[in-house]
Amino acid sequence: MLQTYAVYLGTAALGWIFVGRAERRRNVFWMWACAALFTLVAGLRGYSVGLDTQNYANKFYLISMGEFLYAYGLETSFKYICYGLSKLSDNGTVFLTVMAAITNTCVVIRMWDFREISSLRRAVTFYYMGFFFMSLNGIRQFCAVAILFFFTRYIDRGKSYIFFAGLFFAVLFHRSAVVGATFMIFELLRWNELERNEKLSISFAIFAAPFALALVLPSLSRYFKYFSLVRLNIGFMIPLKILFFFLTLIFVYQTKTRRAKSFSADLYVPFKMICVSYVLGLSLSSLGYIFPFLDRVSWYFYIFEGVYLGMLFKDREPINRFVFGGTALFMTGYTFFHNIAGNSQGTSPYLFFWRR
């Protein structure tokens, strides 16, 4: 286990240093360095690291051999993505590295956009502690989550047509990504401020939505069975996070108000997106206490957790930063160390691919 702790804690420490340099020097290069670090740790793991890793490696091998029918449970579109990748290399480690690169690059680089309203070091660290182990399991869905998270930047910039292109790309990895269309609510709330072309693209998307839904609904029907599987398994972490969110929300808004002069109008949309998405993610995640696996739908919104917690460190009052930071560190740290010591995600012990 010594190697396991060394790898996971060492990655957290190096990531902190890299992002700290990016923040101080205002240089995105170090964000890329952090994304590369996370990618290497995730991509070079042995097949025993992660509950789903061996299964994905086996299916990738079958797809590389042209045996699509035996790669059960994968979207046809994702099979073709894997098949195309296999033409470059049929090595399972290459597959894992590419998936990890998509996931971590999209998330870490997207966080750079929030540097004015959220502490980058805290945001990236909380993402790593809260979601890194998840990404080693639900590989293709987490790729979809990361892609959607990245493309929400174009909602901030009033380019919804690019966001829809990203949404389509995410759906190719996992059909559940269609829930990401709800992010367009943030555009509809400022309809009068949008340019004519933006309104046209949104109107077209609304018109096309029923047809798109009809195409993906058959493949989504397999998820409906989870609503019939009721299992009451109440935990304390999600309720604690929901309580923490509402207790801290007033301080987040006060911080924004005090910084109003330096708080650009361009930041209001991402600010609202962060807050609304995070509480929506927490709410959907609570469904996992009743309906097994349905909490995975929450990932598309829950991914904003790191950015929200990072915003708490923008408060000018040291006591607030101390209290909020300590609570946030406890919540994410508990999950992080529980995953390592308890092996709840199947990610311990950590082994490199040459030792699998």
Side-chain angles (χ1 to χ4, degrees), residues 62-260:
L62 289 170
I63 292 170
S64 69
M65 299 295 292
E67 301 290 348
F68 281 35
L69 292 178
Y70 296 103
Y72 301 113
L74 302 181
E75 285 81 355
T76 301
S77 54
F78 182 71
K79 292 179 184 180
Y80 279 106
I81 291 173
C82 292
Y83 187 70
L85 178 59
S86 72
K87 292 306 176 181
L88 300 176
S89 174
D90 60 358
N91 187 290
T93 296
V94 173
F95 164 74
L96 294 176
T97 302
V98 170
M99 295 298 108
I102 294 172
T103 298
N104 292 291
T105 301
C106 285
V107 172
V108 173
I109 299 304
R110 170 60 169 141
M111 286 187 173
W112 174 255
D113 297 334
F114 301 116
R115 62 191 179 278
E116 299 298 331
I117 55 178
S118 179
S119 168
L120 278 180
R121 282 181 295 181
R122 277 79 174 189
V124 174
T125 300
F126 289 139
Y127 154 71
Y128 173 75
M129 296 176 71
F131 295 93
F132 185 75
F133 294 128
M134 292 183 187
S135 71
L136 304 185
N137 281 310
I139 296 174
R140 80 184 192 282
Q141 185 174 359
F142 227 91
C143 276
V145 170
I147 292 168
L148 197 65
F149 180 64
F150 177 81
F151 276 90
T152 55
R153 71 187 335 198
Y154 295 103
I155 295 178
D156 303 347
R157 300 173 184 182
K159 297 181 179 179
S160 59
Y161 56 93
I162 300 180
F163 169 76
F164 284 123
L167 175 62
F168 173 77
F169 188 44
V171 170
L172 295 180
F173 281 79
H174 205 279
R175 293 290 185 267
S176 64
V178 296
V179 302
T182 56
F183 281 108
M184 289 310 302
I185 291 174
F186 297 103
E187 286 285 69
L188 295 175
L189 291 177
R190 55 171 187 161
W191 182 262
N192 293 332
E193 303 173 18
L194 301 179
E195 296 181 357
R196 182 172 178 273
N197 290 339
E198 185 72 3
K199 291 181 178 180
L200 287 174
S201 62
I202 294 175
S203 299
F204 174 78
I206 294 174
F207 173 77
F211 301 98
L213 187 61
L215 290 175
V216 300
L217 195 58
S219 58
L220 287 175
S221 60
R222 59 187 169 127
Y223 298 109
F224 296 161
K225 64 182 179 182
Y226 294 131
F227 287 101
S228 63
L229 301 175
V230 178
R231 181 188 65 188
L232 193 61
N233 184 23
I234 304 298
F236 78 94
M237 187 54 68
I238 296 300
L240 176 62
K241 286 185 175 183
I242 292 175
L243 176 63
F244 181 71
F245 171 82
F246 285 109
L247 289 176
T248 57
L249 189 61
I250 185 172
F251 292 97
V252 170
Y253 269 90
Q254 286 178 346
T255 300
K256 185 202 75 172
T257 302
R258 287 196 297 268
R259 298 173 58 226

